[in-house]
Amino acid sequence: MWTYWRTRNGSTRIKLAIARSIPYFFEDLRGGLIHQVSNLLRFTGIHANMKRLGMKLGIVKAPENTIPYISDESPIQQLATPVSKPIIFASYCIDASFQGNLKFCGGTKELDLLVKLLRQKGYEAYMVTYDGSYEPWLLDSQPHLSIAEYQEKLKSAQNVRCVTSLAGAKAFIQPSQQIYFWDMELAITEHQDFAALAELYQGKLKGVAAISRTIQAWHMAHFQRACTLLPNLIDRTLWFPTPEQRQPRRIGYMVEGSHTEAYLTVIQEAIRAKGLDLEFQRIQGIEAEVLAGMRSCEVFLSMNIGKDLLWGEGCPRTVIETLATGCIVIAFDIIGNRETIQDNFNSILVPRYRPDLMAEALVRLYSIPGELDRLRSNALTLMQACHTFEARWSAIQEFLQL
């Protein structure tokens, strides 16, 4: 317990805990006041609807989804005001040194795909980087604005949604009146950005979404606010299988940290000891090259161990993209992978830091007739049902209040 409060965000957490307790104190105070007034009225022989009285005095809130109390002297007037479609801006720009245009970054791709989907639905939407530039590594990059252009649009636009995936994105957040936060990585939010996030919750934060159920639960537990589940986006018009390109017994992998080569050696030695002849293919490059590599493999070894000892990785995009090509995944059991992989149904999860168990799972896949086809069929069915733009649209509408 005490270790928790000694973190570098300890003072912020203590303030948050105090702030969360204050409303309960006043709720108790209001409840006690209503009780005393009720006793006084009964003693004097006056009878009243205490709930209505409390609402009139402003010490009892009107129930949600009901018509609020309105005095007899104030007639109800309802005015219908047409509202234009909002303009949506998406960015994680901090400043000139961190412009929000990282190459080979899952967060970049998620926001870019969000903008793409919004534009397909008829919304004006943009990515925002410090100077408007971006790395040309995606197959289909969306329109970009500079921070200066973004600020100019904010001056004239009446209805906007400003979306970020980084609570510390100062250059993007500062000019905005309201922020919609799509959390993709607790390794950042829980640590260096915690104070910035707590400040947003106290002011500008309008809507919150999480890319996994673990992150969703974390937000609700810490801040007691609704949080939309908005999992990975994937463009199925680009990421789909091409069976004619798949090479038998080809196993794909990526360099996912300094541990990769050592883990790969453990796996290859275990495979050779079992007399299994497999080809290991390193996949790298821009999106088009990665897509071609994934389509050529039967199995992909996801050796991503995550950025945080506790939380692992928020949204390993590689796994969902691999499954979309019909390639089976053997991955470590970290929070992002758990959102996509149902163990032994559409792919396989093994405990983190255990390449030996990856090797065992690989041997098992090639020892059971039809196992690859079974997992692949389940994976593609699940992708088509749950991981399309249309499947994600309702969550986006909820998150951005569209």
Side-chain angles (χ1 to χ4, degrees), residues 43-77:
F43 179 75
T44 57
I46 300 174
H47 299 281
N49 183 324
M50 295 311 301
K51 188 173 184 181
R52 184 179 177 89
L53 175 63
M55 290 164 58
K56 189 169 184 178
L57 293 175
I59 53 179
V60 171
K61 293 181 181 178
E64 293 185 4
N65 302 320
T66 62
I67 299 174
Y69 172 80
I70 299 177
S71 69
D72 297 334
E73 295 80 17
S74 302
I76 299 176
Q77 295 182 349

Side-chain angles (χ1 to χ4, degrees), residues 83-88 118-124 158-161 393 402:
V83 179
S84 60
K85 274 190 171 183
I87 303 174
I88 294 98
L118 287 163
R119 294 180 75 89
Q120 287 182 2
K121 293 293 184 179
Y123 291 86
E124 185 179 351
Q158 298 298 313
N159 191 7
V160 301
R161 303 287 189 272
W393 179 238
L402 300 178

Side-chain angles (χ1 to χ4, degrees), residues 268-285:
Q268 289 175 323
E269 289 178 353
I271 294 300
R272 281 195 294 268
K274 294 292 184 179
L276 193 58
D277 183 22
L278 300 175
E279 174 196 358
F280 289 83
Q281 176 73 38
R282 179 172 169 176
I283 298 174
Q284 59 184 351

Side-chain angles (χ1 to χ4, degrees), residues 382-401:
L382 196 63
M383 292 297 298
Q384 187 58 37
C386 304
H387 296 281
T388 62
F389 272 3
E390 284 305 314
R392 293 287 179 261
W393 179 238
S394 60
I396 292 170
Q397 288 178 299
E398 177 188 325
F399 168 45
L400 297 180
Q401 301 172 331

Side-chain angles (χ1 to χ4, degrees), residues 4 16 60 121 145 169 208 230 243 247 287 291 308 311 368:
Y4 174 77
L16 177 63
V60 171
K121 293 293 184 179
L145 298 176
V208 189
L230 178 55
Q247 300 298 310
E287 187 177 23
L291 176 57
D308 187 89
W311 302 115
I368 304 174

Side-chain angles (χ1 to χ4, degrees), residues 253-268 282 300-309 312-313 316 318 330-334 337 350-356 358:
Y253 71 97
M254 287 182 173
V255 175
E256 301 191 82
S258 57
H259 62 282
T260 302
E261 288 302 321
Y263 280 19
L264 185 63
T265 298
V266 169
I267 294 167
Q268 289 175 323
R282 179 172 169 176
F300 179 79
L301 302 176
S302 178
M303 292 181 277
N304 187 339
I305 59 175
K307 303 182 182 73
D308 187 89
L309 289 174
E313 183 82 4
T318 303
I330 302 175
F332 289 129
D333 186 9
I334 54 180
N337 292 339
V350 300
R352 189 160 43 163
Y353 315 122
R354 294 294 303 271
D356 57 317
M358 276 193 165

Side-chain angles (χ1 to χ4, degrees), residues 197-212:
L197 178 63
E199 183 178 347
L200 283 179
Y201 264 104
Q202 294 169 8
K204 290 186 175 184
L205 203 59
K206 182 68 174 177
V208 189
I211 209 162
S212 75

